Amino acid sequence: MDITVKDLTHLYNPKTPFERIALKDINVQIKSGTFLSIIGHTGSGKSTFIQHINGLLKPAKGEITVGDVTIKAGEKNPKLTALRKKVGLVFQYPEHQLFEETVEKDICFGPMNFGAAEEEAKRKARDALDLVGLPESVLNRSPFDLSGGQMRRVAIAGVLAVEPEVIILDEPTAGLDPVGRREMLSLFMKLHKQKSLTTIMVTHSMDDAAFYSDEVMVMDKGRVVMKDKPEAVFSHIEKLQSLGLDVPETIKFLLQLDERCQVGIGTPVFSIPETAAKIMEMLGQGREKGARV
Amino acid sequence: MFNIIIGQYVPGQSIIHRLDPRVKLISIFIFVIIVFLANNWITYGLVVLFSIIGILLSKVPFRFIYRGLRAIIIIIIFTFILNVLFTKQGDLLISIGWIHIYKGGLIGGLFISIRLLAIIVITTLLTLTTTPIDITDGIEILLGPLKKIKLPIHEFALMMSISLRFIPTLLEETEKIMKAQSARGSDFASGSVKQRIKAIIPLLVPLFVSAFKRAEELAMAMEARGYRGDEGRTRLRVLKWTGKDTALIIIMLMLTVALVVLRT
Ligand SMILES: Nc1ncnc2c1ncn2[C@@H]1O[C@H](COP(=O)(O)OP(=O)(O)O)[C@@H](O)[C@H]1O
Ligand SMILES: [Mg+2]
């Protein structure tokens, strides 16, 4: 499903002394099937932006079109149920939203809200649990007895069970250990490919943004500063640093290497094998130029 | 969604802001009592003058004071109308059908409205110019002597300041969980009463879970930092009584004397 955002502006606490512009004139196109990462300093408006995509927040100005639903400032909202069914939103620390006695009931909550019959919901719950890599044996346990990582998987299963076409993740790996993080991310990558989803991920990790995405969007003070392929975005190293953002580790490494080789790093690369190849290439060029490497 | 302003403190550096919270509390206590001494134009005039000077000195924009009054204004108008309609004193001014308005009723209604308004303006001024923590501190010290008869004043004050601290956090959390459940198709805004009550459960359970977790963490953090209750505990922010505080007390006494002398 294509997502089109036009002139989107959002105000918190409008018409009070606490009024605050959280988003300013945002224009973005997200093509169906894209894996988009959003990066930006804390408070740059990432969470505010993604909540507009399934109608949780209403724009003060502008409009958002998701598939065939349009939300427009100043107009009454269309029926949001259809939109929310198609756009799954996984909040930061999604395990905080668990409330049912059993894992099964909690995962069924979404599908049943969107009109699935009990049997159908249970089937979807089983499928979703399988997708997030948990055994069926947890279905009858209380979600509050599980470990933190398992709770998060259950919460994510609760969103997947609705079978959305767009999935939005707000810092999905916050608070996980390194292994948990990697598993979580490969899970989203797998889902993205298997189900041909459109995935939007807010992240603080430049490595993840660079490695997993088709496109990276950079936000600063409620505005979109860049939106492009990761190679293009992470070429603007000084720009990113001026926004208080980092660059991926692979780039940092290559920059250090280049201080000795003086050949330039060319197109940025983000995976380990590509980086190894790039190192060999740079070393070769460096020797030809007579650098002592 | 939650545009409620808790504690509604308006930061500032005015002389009213800088007064000792104890003095402010005592003065309001005195004011609320002596307002009832007023019974003629001069004494009510003094009360109004005092309130207006208070507002001006605090430098709080008038709209904040108005916001505090909005909810109460209906009650004031209602009291006024009741008084006008049902007091039969002085000359008959207007008489339409069963409605008889007497001069005494009109003046009486006006006086009562002024009295209510003055009390509310002055107490609103306290919450607008004093942080909730300062108010709690002030109350704890003023009620301190009651500890002698084993009343848990310190615990009460601690409870109050912790609650004040966590109300915004709790509201934020409520909003977050409401959004998370809405994204999963919860509908908090429509449906029958029974459906709406059912829709609250997915909100309340996570809220309670997190509130208990927070309470436990807070207790642990306090213990880890050596909290043992009231005994032997010193204060980080020592309240200071200065010249302007003494001045306010003297002004309050003068106002009392003036009201006693000038009332009829
Ligand atoms: N519920 C809210 N009420 C008022 N202001 C908010 C609220 N949520 C966020 N903001 C403000 O909006 C701005 C953007 O916040 P947010 O979208 O959460 O940023 P990010 O997710 O990039 O950290 C911040 O300045 C934040 O303080
Ligand atoms: Mg955020």
Side-chain angles (χ1 to χ4, degrees), chain A residues 112-162:
Chain A
M112 287 174 76
N113 278 333
F114 290 115
E118 193 167 345
E119 276 315 304
E120 192 190 352
K122 282 187 175 171
R123 184 182 51 71
K124 288 184 175 177
R126 251 163 253 269
D127 291 348
L129 202 67
D130 186 49
L131 280 176
V132 298
L134 285 177
E136 278 202 13
S137 58
V138 299
L139 276 176
N140 291 315
R141 289 176 58 187
S142 158
F144 299 103
D145 288 342
L146 303 176
S147 76
Q150 287 174 319
M151 279 169 85
R152 184 164 304 182
R153 279 163 194 263
V154 169
I156 291 170
V159 175
L160 295 179
V162 179

Side-chain angles (χ1 to χ4, degrees), chain B residues 151-194:
Chain B
L151 280 180
I153 299 298
H154 168 76
E155 286 73 10
F156 169 74
L158 185 72
M159 256 161 63
M160 206 160 122
S161 44
I162 291 179
S163 317
L164 284 170
R165 158 66 186 78
F166 279 101
I167 285 171
T169 315
L170 212 62
L171 285 180
E172 217 169 86
E173 192 117 342
T174 310
E175 188 169 347
K176 222 179 74 188
I177 294 170
M178 261 174 114
K179 278 182 179 166
Q181 307 298 26
S182 301
R184 291 208 282 166
S186 262
D187 186 357
F188 294 101
S190 58
S192 64
V193 175
K194 198 178 153 211

Side-chain angles (χ1 to χ4, degrees), chain A:
Chain A
M1 254 191 313
D2 290 339
I3 300 167
T4 310
V5 178
K6 262 195 231 144
D7 298 326
L8 169 63
T9 295
H10 184 80
L11 308 174
Y12 279 112
N13 307 314
K15 303 201 180 78
T16 71
F18 303 92
E19 179 171 301
R20 193 186 171 103
I21 302 177
L23 295 176
K24 184 115 181 76
D25 296 323
I26 296 205
N27 282 288
V28 174
Q29 277 257 12
I30 303 166
K31 284 231 155 33
S32 191
T34 310
F35 194 119
L36 173 79
S37 289
I38 304 181
I39 57 177
H41 208 267
T42 306
S44 57
K46 307 180 294 294
S47 302
T48 308
F49 174 69
I50 56 171
Q51 286 173 35
H52 279 87
I53 299 176
N54 77 346
L56 284 172
L57 292 175
K58 205 164 165 9
K61 211 185 97 205
E63 60 181 74
I64 303 122
T65 308
V66 182
D68 47 11
V69 183
T70 299
I71 298 173
K72 207 167 176 173
E75 283 181 15
K76 211 171 161 311
N77 271 348
K79 202 86 180 97
L80 292 175
T81 323
L83 176 65
R84 296 206 174 136
K85 187 172 174 342
K86 286 187 196 153
V87 181
L89 180 49
V90 178
F91 276 87
Q92 209 173 352
Y93 297 105
E95 55 274 26
H96 292 172
Q97 75 195 26
L98 300 173
F99 71 98
E100 277 285 12
E101 299 149 64
T102 67
V103 168
E104 183 174 39
K105 280 190 187 170
D106 208 288
I107 303 181
C108 286
F109 179 69
M112 287 174 76
N113 278 333
F114 290 115
E118 193 167 345
E119 276 315 304
E120 192 190 352
K122 282 187 175 171
R123 184 182 51 71
K124 288 184 175 177
R126 251 163 253 269
D127 291 348
L129 202 67
D130 186 49
L131 280 176
V132 298
L134 285 177
E136 278 202 13
S137 58
V138 299
L139 276 176
N140 291 315
R141 289 176 58 187
S142 158
F144 299 103
D145 288 342
L146 303 176
S147 76
Q150 287 174 319
M151 279 169 85
R152 184 164 304 182
R153 279 163 194 263
V154 169
I156 291 170
V159 175
L160 295 179
V162 179
E163 298 174 346
E165 292 170 43
V166 177
I167 185 153
I168 305 178
L169 309 157
D170 196 348
E171 300 184 30
T173 57
L176 292 183
D177 59 43
V179 177
R181 279 179 48 147
R182 217 171 315 122
E183 283 178 359
M184 193 63 71
L185 285 164
S186 40
L187 162 72
F188 291 128
M189 206 57 214
K190 189 182 80 185
L191 282 172
H192 178 76
K193 292 208 177 107
Q194 246 177 33
K195 311 234 153 191
S196 351
L197 299 174
T198 307
T199 307
I200 302 174
M201 174 170 83
V202 173
T203 180
H204 277 298
S205 159
M206 300 303 130
D207 297 302
D208 297 344
F211 187 73
Y212 292 98
S213 346
D214 301 316
E215 279 196 303
V216 176
M217 171 166 137
V218 187
M219 294 191 66
D220 182 52
K221 302 196 182 79
R223 292 172 192 268
V224 174
V225 184
M226 282 189 259
K227 177 172 166 290
D228 212 330
K229 293 198 167 53
E231 293 79 17
V233 168
F234 290 110
S235 303
H236 301 284
I237 293 159
E238 275 162 24
K239 175 91 189 160
L240 289 172
Q241 283 168 343
S242 75
L243 299 177
L245 296 173
D246 214 348
V247 289
E249 292 292 320
T250 55
I251 304 287
K252 277 193 218 160
F253 180 89
L254 293 176
L255 284 174
Q256 283 274 319
L257 183 65
D258 192 47
E259 280 187 15
R260 308 216 188 155
C261 296
Q262 300 290 340
V263 294
I265 65 171
T267 321
V269 290
F270 310 114
S271 70
I272 302 288
E274 281 174 315
T275 311
K278 178 76 102 181
I279 293 170
M280 291 309 290
E281 186 189 324
M282 284 171 68
L283 284 176
Q285 287 175 356
R287 285 208 186 90
E288 274 170 33
K289 266 188 63 181
R292 291 197 6 249
V293 284

